[in-house]
């Protein structure tokens, strides 16, 4: 899959990570941008490959995107490798392919080794916004292996 955002997402300022993450590259691709106010917004374009047999976005696809979003939202304070140690999600609505799916969130607490975050996955804007998923997670910093 291409890690370059579509023209629609690129025009909105979205970009991908440097480097690779084989699972996210396959499951997404996912993108992010920082607003002028410093908030991180994540995005992907939902296609048929993200859907379940009923034609709705698969819950696992939304949770994978939310997990990606934990790291994008916390990127300014993580400064290196980290892993998800806890993840919680509540589904609130469904949607199908063809939508731009977005996520926003915040750091709740930053300790020496753990970062606590929460956010929402949604589609639409303003009065047309629909929250699809509420999520929270804990990300643990890990030490790099000596080479």
């Amino acid at each position: 899959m291409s890690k370059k955002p579509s023209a629609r997402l690129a025009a909105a300022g979205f970009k991908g990570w440097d480097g690779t993450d084989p699972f996210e590259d396959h499951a997404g691709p996912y993108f992010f941008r920082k607003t002028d106010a410093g908030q991180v917004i994540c995005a992907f374009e939902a296609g048929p490959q993200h859907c379940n047999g009923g034609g709705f976005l698969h819950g696992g696809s939304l949770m994978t995107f939310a997990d990606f979003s934990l790291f994008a939202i916390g990127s300014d304070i993580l400064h290196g490798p980290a892993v998800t140690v806890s993840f919680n999600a509540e589904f609130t609505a469904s949607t199908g392919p063809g939508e731009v799916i977005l996520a926003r969130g915040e750091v709740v607490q930053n300790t020496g080794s753990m970062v606590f975050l929460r956010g929402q996955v949604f589609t639409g804007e303003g009065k047309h916004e629909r929250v699809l998923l509420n999520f929270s997670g804990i990300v643990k910093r890990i030490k790099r292996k000596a080479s």
Side-chain angles (χ1 to χ4, degrees), residues 10-140:
F14 287 95
K15 61 182 182 177
W17 292 120
D18 291 333
T20 63
D21 183 308
F23 182 74
E24 288 175 357
D25 295 346
H26 177 73
Y30 306 130
F31 306 98
F32 67 96
R33 70 177 172 88
K34 194 175 278 193
T35 68
D36 292 339
Q39 181 182 33
V40 173
I41 305 293
C42 301
F44 80 99
E45 291 186 83
Q49 72 275 19
H50 299 111
C51 294
N52 60 26
F56 298 101
L57 284 187
H58 193 285
S61 178
L62 290 173
M63 290 189 298
T64 300
F65 176 60
D67 184 68
F68 164 89
S69 300
L70 289 173
F71 289 84
I73 294 162
S75 63
D76 283 348
I77 60 173
L78 285 171
H79 304 295
V83 295
T84 305
V85 295
S86 178
F87 181 86
N88 297 292
E90 298 86 34
F91 298 97
T92 57
S94 63
T95 195
E99 298 281 341
V100 172
I101 309 301
L102 302 157
R104 62 179 167 236
E106 63 182 340
V107 173
V108 176
Q109 185 173 353
N110 177 18
T111 71
S113 64
M114 305 272 209
V115 180
F116 298 74
L117 305 106
R118 66 178 167 216
Q120 293 181 312
V121 174
F122 63 100
T123 189
E125 295 180 56
K127 68 179 184 174
H128 300 290
E129 179 180 301
R130 286 185 310 120
V131 174
L132 306 174
L133 178 81
N134 292 309
F135 65 92
S136 62
I138 304 169
V139 175
K140 179 176 178 47

